[in-house]
Amino acid sequence: MLQINKIHHIAIICSDYQESKVFYTDILGLTIIREIYREDRQSFKLDLALNGVYTIELFSFLNPPQRTSRPEARGLRHLAFEVNGIEKTVAFLSSKNIIVESIRTDETTQKRFTFIADPDGLPIEFYEK
């Protein structure tokens, strides 16, 4: 059987690099590990950590096609982060003028969760611990 240790990272391609960089660092609080500009690809690559753990690669490419989020499309559905308090999370995001969906309850776990979208419409879930 294949031995997988953990998810290593998630790669996200954005349309506006500076806007997405601010969103993932200043709003979501991920920290920058390294940022490089790859001249041959005319592309930025930003490595981000969550609580000191490498988590997301943020890329910029020239004219990437738009991602379909609604209606939901085949493939990766969303990115989810665990949070301690859903109301506090919603209040913070709302204070940053981010549209937050209504809080829902997972029928299986009875845990509460909500969704927002990143600057390119990628669904991001916040799931209460």
Side-chain angles (χ1 to χ4, degrees):
M1 177 180 279
L2 179 65
Q3 176 66 44
I4 296 176
N5 296 324
K6 63 179 182 175
I7 293 174
H8 189 266
H9 70 272
I10 299 158
I12 299 172
I13 298 171
C14 61
S15 62
D16 183 322
Y17 178 73
Q18 292 304 325
E19 180 182 23
S20 291
K21 179 180 175 181
V22 167
F23 176 81
Y24 282 95
T25 59
D26 294 353
I27 305 288
L28 296 188
L30 280 76
T31 55
I32 297 172
I33 298 170
R34 102 181 105 284
E35 178 178 34
I36 59 172
Y37 182 75
R38 301 173 308 168
E39 186 69 42
D40 59 323
R41 296 181 183 190
Q42 297 180 314
S43 169
F44 281 97
K45 179 180 180 285
L46 182 66
D47 295 334
L48 298 168
L50 176 63
N51 298 323
V53 178
Y54 174 52
T55 305
I56 292 178
E57 284 180 332
L58 186 64
F59 290 100
S60 69
F61 290 108
L62 294 176
N63 303 312
Q66 187 173 1
R67 177 190 191 281
T68 301
S69 288
R70 299 204 191 295
E72 291 191 38
R74 190 175 305 137
L76 182 64
R77 186 172 185 204
H78 63 263
L79 177 61
F81 294 106
E82 179 183 273
V83 296
N84 288 328
I86 202 74
E87 283 94 359
K88 186 175 178 181
T89 300
V90 168
F92 174 79
L93 294 167
S94 296
S95 77
K96 299 295 183 181
N97 297 315
I98 295 174
I99 297 169
V100 183
E101 292 184 6
S102 298
I103 296 172
R104 295 181 271 169
T105 302
D106 184 312
E107 296 173 3
T108 304
T109 66
Q110 300 305 307
K111 302 284 185 168
R112 296 179 306 158
F113 65 97
T114 189
F115 280 89
I116 64 168
D118 85 348
D120 287 301
L122 175 67
I124 297 178
E125 178 181 11
F126 295 94
Y127 198 89
E128 194 167 50
K129 184 175 181 179

